């Protein structure tokens, strides 16, 4: 499959080159040239298919022929080595748990898939690729874990000092091997800006092959469309009108859901649930898209002031505001709302959510007020223990640490502090 740049000032490129480059030379995000709806039989026979079969059929068109089908099957099988259960809370609300992977965040799937694609493309290459990634919380751990030990690939992670949870920090600073963490004196947007700048800096790119592992990268972004089909498989017999509420930051996950809808998955509506970083909520209200600096919240993986993937969403709906509005609602919530939701979910349904899932739950509640027949699925994007302090304080109950988390807590953090772009550049050039 070929990809084009959404800035439309760069040549089309293959899946392989889109994965290796991350961002197009004109700074645009890559987008597939064609989207072919899956045959009706795919949805009719869905109950008899395994997750691997579903994922393979759904994503094949975007990957072939650069990765042979048998290799792609293996990559998918390894990527999806855990469960994606839907848990029903009530007749109108369910949650799709996306936290059963090794770092207990939904980003595990994208990171594992991308790492394996890049490993495949780089297997005969003598020069290492450097994956440069900015994280607002969960990306770093998932990418670090997904790429750990992949031959020919080095990973450099930038994270905002003091703005990720203790467990998140451990997950991205304790792995060693081909993984390095840079602790940035700044906020997530500073990290993301530095990463974008490095990609355009010829004094770096002439000497080393850089790529991104943010949802900018098509191999990180597209496999997220699986989740929506997995949820559909579990719910379609009981519910006709399925809507998804997605706790959104960079809007990669929700945009992948929209790709699943383009493939023919009968999703009635999307809800972008935001914390106080509400650029998209405001856009849908005012038709005015105005990015602003991010503010820190309890759902820190969504503290994004200028969501990268929103241009892809605009592309999917042909830049037509009205079409977009028919498919997408958006609500924004404060930290107090989030805490109240955590408590409500616990008391009403005996379910422990994390702050991101809680924001998603609130989106469901608001949407259901005017759509009584819908069944709303909010995505649980991280395990609650990754945000232990706030969750335990709000529900006044001890939460057990799962084994994946226990394993990192006693390890020693190793990170290099940097404060600006010149520090990053000096660091990268030193590694050559
Ligand atoms: C990354 C992340 C999000 C936001 O996902 P986007 O694809 O950036 O919108 C939400 N919740 C958690 C826990 C995350 O790690």
């Amino acid at each position: 499959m070929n990809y084009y740049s959404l800035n439309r000032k760069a040549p089309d490129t293959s899946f392989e080159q889109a994965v290796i480059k991350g961002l197009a030379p004109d700074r645009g995000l890559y987008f597939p040239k064609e989207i072919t709806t899956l045959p009706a039989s795919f949805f009719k026979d869905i109950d008899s298919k395994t997750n691997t079969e579903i994922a393979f059929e759904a994503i094949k068109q975007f990957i072939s022929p650069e990765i042979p089908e048998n290799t792609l099957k293996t990559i998918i099988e390894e990527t999806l080595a855990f469960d994606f259960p839907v848990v029903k809370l009530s007749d109108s609300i369910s949650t799709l748990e996306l936290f059963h992977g090794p770092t207990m965040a939904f980003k595990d799937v994208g990171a594992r898939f991308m790492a394996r694609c890049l490993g495949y493309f780089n297997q005969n290459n003598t020069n290492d690729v450097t994956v440069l990634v900015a994280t607002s919380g969960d990306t770093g751990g998932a990418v670090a874990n997904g790429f750990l030990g992949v031959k020919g690939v080095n990973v450099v992670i930038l994270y905002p000092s003091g703005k990720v949870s203790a467990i998140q920090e451990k997950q991205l600073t304790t792995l060693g091997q081909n993984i390095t963490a840079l602790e940035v004196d700044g906020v997530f947007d500073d990290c993301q800006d530095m990463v974008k700048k490095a990609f355009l800096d010829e004094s770096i790119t002439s000497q080393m092959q850089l790529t991104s592992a943010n949802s900018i990268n098509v191999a990180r972004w597209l496999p997220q469309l699986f989740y929506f089909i997995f949820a559909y498989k579990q719910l379609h017999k009981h519910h006709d009108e399925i809507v998804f509420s997605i706790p959104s930051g960079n809007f990669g996950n929700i945009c992948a859901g929209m790709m699943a809808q383009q493939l023919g998955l009968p999703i009635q509506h999307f809800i972008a649930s935001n914390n106080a970083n509400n650029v998209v909520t405001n856009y849908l209200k005012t038709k005015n898209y105005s990015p602003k600096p991010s503010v820190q919240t309890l759902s820190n993986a969504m503290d994004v002031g200028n969501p990268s993937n929103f241009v892809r969403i605009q592309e999917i709906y042909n830049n037509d505001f009205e079409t977009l509005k028919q498919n997408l609602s958006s609500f924004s919530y404060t930290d107090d709302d989030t805490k109240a939701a955590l408590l409500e979910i616990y008391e009403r349904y005996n379910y422990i959510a994390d702050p991101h899932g809680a924001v998603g739950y609130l989106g469901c509640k608001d949407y259901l007020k005017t759509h009584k027949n819908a069944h709303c699925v909010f995505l649980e994007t991280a395990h609650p223990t990754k945000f232990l302090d706030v969750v335990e304080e709000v529900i006044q109950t001890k939460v057990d640490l799962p084994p994946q988390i226990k394993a990192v807590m006693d390890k020693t953090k190793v990170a290099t502090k940097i404060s600006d772009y010149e520090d990053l550049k000096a660091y990268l050039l030193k590694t050559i």
Side-chain angles (χ1 to χ4, degrees), residues 78-100:
E78 289 175 9
T79 299
L80 300 178
F82 38 89
D83 292 335
F84 303 86
V86 171
V87 177
K88 195 168 167 177
L89 299 190
S90 74
D91 282 345
S92 52
I93 301 182
S94 292
T95 180
L96 171 63
E97 293 185 343
L98 299 178
F99 54 65
H100 294 276

Side-chain angles (χ1 to χ4, degrees), residues 84-141:
F84 303 86
V86 171
V87 177
K88 195 168 167 177
L89 299 190
S90 74
D91 282 345
S92 52
I93 301 182
S94 292
T95 180
L96 171 63
E97 293 185 343
L98 299 178
F99 54 65
H100 294 276
T103 75
M104 314 213 83
F106 82 92
K107 294 186 174 77
D108 280 329
V109 166
R112 288 158 71 85
F113 187 82
M114 181 185 162
R116 284 163 178 78
C117 290
L118 204 56
Y120 173 77
F121 291 137
N122 214 35
Q123 59 189 349
N124 299 321
N125 196 341
T126 45
N127 298 323
D128 282 3
V129 175
T130 299
V131 173
L132 192 59
V133 59
T135 183
S136 58
D138 277 344
T139 309

Side-chain angles (χ1 to χ4, degrees), residues 410-428:
D410 298 331
K411 294 195 181 156
T412 309
K413 161 182 165 184
V414 180
T416 303
K417 291 205 173 187
I418 65 167
S419 30
D420 57 22
Y421 180 69
E422 290 309 313
D423 288 352
L424 172 63
K425 183 166 166 173
Y427 178 83
L428 288 174

